[in-house]
Amino acid sequence: MPLLAVVYFSISGTTEQLAHAVARGAAGMTEIALCRINGDDIVSGRFQNETFLETIDRAGAVAFGSPTYMGGPAAQFKAFADASSDRWSQQRWANKVAAGFTTGACASGDQLHTLSYFSILAAQHGMLWCGLDIPGGEDPSGRNRLGSQLGLATHLIDGALPQSDLSTAEYLGQRLARMADRNS
């Protein structure tokens, strides 16, 4: 059974809710490693957690998650991405399936830029990108309500994640698990 590494940073708990929903969606189809980026992992501005990186080395699929801050991923996620450069030079993550999820303060809060960042990070590593195949506004249960095909983009409504966004995250986890299984 392939391993899905859900790599994320969360400060308020919203992105963590999405990470857990991705994991729920993949449950039973893959092994799951929830890899939360913590402040203790960053020393003098540099991400330093070799065990964390080795988990991703073993994974067949990776989901990247971060809130969108000031038009891009959080600095803590970027520190992790920068630390992956040794793996990049060796293409150790090549051919893994990757996807992304993000949340922002507004419905059009530049989340697309964060998802684009994730897809470029994946491309640099030689990973295979997995977007959403749910046409926005077309799903009877309201999944992919913001219509982002590149990955899951969401925002809070009345201080909470809508159930439709959590369902979209679960679906993304299922899709990643299916693709990782095909790719193994």
Side-chain angles (χ1 to χ4, degrees):
M1 190 179 296
L3 173 65
L4 167 61
V6 182
V7 178
Y8 69 98
F9 171 74
S10 183
I11 192 142
S12 69
T14 304
T15 307
E16 184 165 44
Q17 288 178 47
L18 293 171
H20 285 267
V22 168
R24 275 194 310 277
M29 300 168 67
T30 63
E31 292 182 49
I32 299 160
L34 287 165
C35 302
R36 182 177 180 159
I37 299 165
N38 293 305
D40 293 344
D41 295 326
I42 301 169
V43 179
S44 296
R46 182 87 173 155
F47 179 87
Q48 297 180 4
N49 185 331
E50 186 62 24
T51 303
F52 190 107
L53 295 168
E54 288 170 357
T55 298
I56 300 166
D57 292 346
R58 292 190 311 275
V62 180
F64 296 126
S66 172
T68 296
Y69 288 149
M70 300 308 293
Q76 294 86 341
F77 185 92
K78 183 74 169 75
F80 151 77
D82 290 350
S84 74
S85 63
D86 290 340
R87 267 109 175 127
W88 165 79
S89 65
Q90 300 166 16
Q91 289 294 284
R92 287 172 69 177
W93 296 351
N95 300 317
K96 297 177 187 299
V97 180
F101 58 94
T102 188
T103 186
C106 300
S108 183
D110 297 321
Q111 291 96 321
L112 181 58
H113 186 262
T114 300
L115 293 172
S116 295
Y117 177 86
F118 294 157
S119 70
I120 292 168
L121 174 64
Q124 288 179 327
H125 279 284
M127 301 169 97
L128 310 170
W129 191 254
C130 171
L132 284 172
D133 62 348
I134 303 170
E138 301 291 324
D139 186 67
S141 61
R143 295 176 304 172
N144 195 17
R145 71 182 171 89
L146 296 183
S148 175
Q149 302 307 133
L150 192 57
L152 173 59
T154 186
H155 72 97
L156 300 178
I157 297 177
D158 297 327
L161 280 171
Q163 182 56 48
S164 61
D165 292 349
L166 294 169
S167 295
T168 306
E170 289 174 3
Y171 178 80
L172 183 61
Q174 291 169 4
R175 184 162 159 78
L176 265 174
R178 285 193 306 271
M179 292 185 78
D181 188 51
R182 282 189 213 160
N183 199 36
S184 59

